[in-house]
Amino acid sequence: MSLPHAILTALLEKPSSGLELTRRFDMSIGYFWSATHQQIYRELGKLEHEGYIRALPSAQPTRGQKKEYEVLPAGRAELARWTAESQDPKPIRDPLLLRLRAAGVVGAEGIDAELRRHLDLHQRQLSEYLEIEKRDFPPDRDTVEDRLRHAVLRAGIDLETFWTRWLSRTLAELEPPTAAAADASTPAEGNGPK
Amino acid sequence: MSLPHAILTALLEKPSSGLELTRRFDMSIGYFWSATHQQIYRELGKLEHEGYIRALPSAQPTRGQKKEYEVLPAGRAELARWTAESQDPKPIRDPLLLRLRAAGVVGAEGIDAELRRHLDLHQRQLSEYLEIEKRDFPPDRDTVEDRLRHAVLRAGIDLETFWTRWLSRTLAELEPPTAAAADASTPAEGNGPK
DNA sequence: AGTGGTTGTGCAACTAGTTGCATAACCTCG
DNA sequence: CGAGGTTATGCAACTAGTTGCACAACCACT
């Protein structure tokens, strides 16, 4: 039940059309929730039907034309209710970890290439977040809202940091020992006793 | 497409019945993939139908009676194929971060209680993982398989560590300044100049 | 006026995961 | 033996997210 609330939050920050929301979900909202434009349009329809949002009167109802939405009081109330609600964290579910475990059973051929690829992706994401932090959070402003937004971004930063560290360590642990243990096709020149 | 492969991995490690798998998913497998018993039974049916696994001959086909499965060569091949495949990491999607952002818009009332609750849950999970590490990974054994399994567990440990740190920091940042900034109903006794 | 790209909205079908419930076999205790 | 709990398998309906495509409006260039 998170997507409708993500949309309400985004619309409270700034009334938008479906496509604008999609772009915002790809950008800043993306570091804690992602969604495709189809999900967003469908959800906008539902939210309007339930009386949580409404289309701004300026927009015509024909297809292919921009339609902006704003949040109604009922929508704000629903968002406040949901925000204060108690929800348990969901257990981890990560395909990469699963594949690593599977590699332990069917053989680790080629898994290191995949680990390196992920490491690269996470490093890029991390430096992107650090850019955003530098740009959007100079050390002067300090409202509660700023702090909350900064905390959320920092979660993104810390998570990417975790991944890059874990991937580096895992790669380091898998590779050299494999080379040392494998007595075939390993050059191993210059480090034996003379 | 991860659940069937999680099941294949689990069955290769040890042939099991549906309920046994469910228990293993709640325990050790749970730190990288979770699943309910209904998902598992449904998937076992599909995997058997597709010729990846088969029921051990000892089991009778009646309902309510234990039915153990083992992986067939085709299943092992499929798992190896999937493990080596290239898959992009999925973007973060975390309701707690979303709620924190929403709190910045509709007000942060009561969110700190929720943060503390999550902190407690993550601390428990972390110490559970540390127990498992101490029990299952003594520093002597060192096969490639051990290393892979240990790396996966360490991802769980590091992730829980990230959460506990991030939650502690976020709580620390939200609370004292709020008390200092709010000039109403704050006792603030004994720390001013005499 | 016509073609081609961009912006924008939207349907339909599919895949994955969740929730609630039904039902059968088996074991234990009185 | 039969009542009640535990073990075990499974169906049906639902919710959430993904993929692929259709189509209208608008704009710019020729």
Side-chain angles (χ1 to χ4, degrees):
Chain A
M1 299 284 292
S2 293
L3 179 59
H5 301 96
I7 291 177
L8 287 173
T9 305
L11 287 181
L12 278 170
E13 289 175 348
K14 180 179 181 317
S16 311
S17 68
L19 197 64
E20 281 164 358
L21 280 174
T22 305
R23 293 214 185 93
R24 292 172 61 198
F25 270 81
D26 285 344
M27 302 287 294
S28 62
I29 301 176
Y31 55 76
F32 53 91
W33 204 269
S34 68
T36 61
H37 79 274
Q38 287 86 348
Q39 273 182 284
I40 290 168
Y41 282 117
R42 196 195 305 159
E43 210 58 49
L44 282 171
K46 275 193 214 167
L47 286 168
E48 185 176 26
H49 180 77
E50 290 165 335
Y52 290 145
I53 63 175
R54 67 163 185 183
L56 286 178
S58 61
Q60 295 94 332
T62 52
R63 188 167 177 168
Q65 236 165 343
K66 197 156 125 172
K67 199 158 80 179
E68 295 216 301
Y69 291 92
E70 67 175 0
V71 179
L72 294 171
R76 176 182 277 269
E78 165 56 24
L79 183 60
R81 188 201 61 71
W82 178 81
T83 303
E85 193 182 276
S86 174
Q87 291 172 221
D88 284 345
K90 277 191 285 181
I92 308 165
R93 205 180 251 164
D94 189 295
L96 184 64
L97 298 179
L98 178 53
R99 290 201 285 158
L100 217 59
R101 174 80 165 241
V105 181
V106 296
E109 310 298 311
I111 193 84
D112 55 328
E114 188 67 355
L115 294 178
R116 265 191 295 272
R117 200 172 65 84
H118 279 237
L119 176 58
D120 184 56
L121 289 169
H122 285 293
Q123 276 168 345
R124 280 172 206 279
Q125 186 67 71
L126 175 57
S127 57
E128 207 176 295
Y129 286 165
L130 289 172
E131 278 303 311
I132 294 173
E133 187 180 38
K134 210 188 296 174
R135 170 161 48 79
D136 291 359
F137 298 97
D140 49 331
R141 283 178 314 145
D142 192 42
T143 66
V144 175
E145 186 173 329
D146 274 331
R147 259 184 220 167
L148 286 167
R149 291 172 61 113
H150 196 172
V152 172
L153 175 58
R154 199 157 39 228
I157 291 171
D158 291 354
L159 266 173
E160 296 301 334
T161 303
F162 147 72
W163 278 114
T164 56
R165 287 205 189 132
W166 178 81
L167 283 165
S168 302
R169 175 169 183 182
T170 302
L171 274 166
E173 270 183 0
L174 287 183
E175 295 199 14
T178 304
D183 41 3
S185 76
T186 311
E189 56 188 359
N191 63 343
K194 191 208 164 210
Chain B
M1 298 285 292
S2 293
L3 178 59
H5 301 95
I7 292 177
L8 287 172
T9 306
L11 287 181
L12 277 170
E13 289 174 349
K14 180 180 179 319
S16 309
S17 68
L19 197 63
E20 281 165 357
L21 281 174
T22 305
R23 293 215 186 92
R24 292 173 60 198
F25 269 81
D26 285 344
M27 302 287 295
S28 62
I29 302 176
Y31 54 76
F32 53 91
W33 204 268
S34 69
T36 61
H37 79 275
Q38 287 85 347
Q39 274 182 284
I40 290 167
Y41 282 119
R42 194 195 307 159
E43 210 58 50
L44 282 172
K46 275 194 215 168
L47 287 168
E48 185 175 26
H49 180 78
E50 291 165 334
Y52 290 145
I53 62 175
R54 66 162 186 185
L56 287 179
S58 61
Q60 296 91 333
T62 53
R63 188 166 175 169
Q65 236 166 343
K66 197 157 124 172
K67 198 157 83 180
E68 295 216 301
Y69 292 92
E70 67 175 2
V71 179
L72 296 171
R76 175 182 279 267
E78 165 55 24
L79 184 60
R81 187 199 63 71
W82 178 80
T83 303
E85 193 181 277
S86 174
Q87 290 172 224
D88 283 345
K90 275 192 287 182
I92 308 166
R93 206 179 251 165
D94 189 295
L96 184 64
L97 298 179
L98 178 52
R99 290 201 285 156
L100 217 60
R101 173 82 164 240
V105 181
V106 296
E109 309 299 310
I111 194 85
D112 55 327
E114 188 67 356
L115 293 178
R116 266 191 294 273
R117 200 173 64 84
H118 278 237
L119 176 57
D120 184 56
L121 289 169
H122 285 294
Q123 276 168 345
R124 282 171 206 279
Q125 187 67 71
L126 175 57
S127 57
E128 207 176 292
Y129 286 165
L130 289 172
E131 278 302 311
I132 294 174
E133 187 180 39
K134 209 188 298 176
R135 170 161 48 79
D136 292 359
F137 298 97
D140 49 331
R141 282 179 314 144
D142 193 43
T143 65
V144 175
E145 186 173 329
D146 274 332
R147 258 183 220 169
L148 286 166
R149 291 171 61 113
H150 196 171
V152 172
L153 175 58
R154 199 157 39 228
I157 291 171
D158 292 354
L159 266 173
E160 297 301 332
T161 303
F162 147 72
W163 278 113
T164 57
R165 286 203 190 136
W166 179 80
L167 284 164
S168 302
R169 174 169 184 183
T170 302
L171 273 165
E173 272 183 359
L174 287 182
E175 297 199 13
T178 303
D183 42 2
S185 76
T186 313
E189 57 188 359
N191 62 346
K194 192 202 162 224

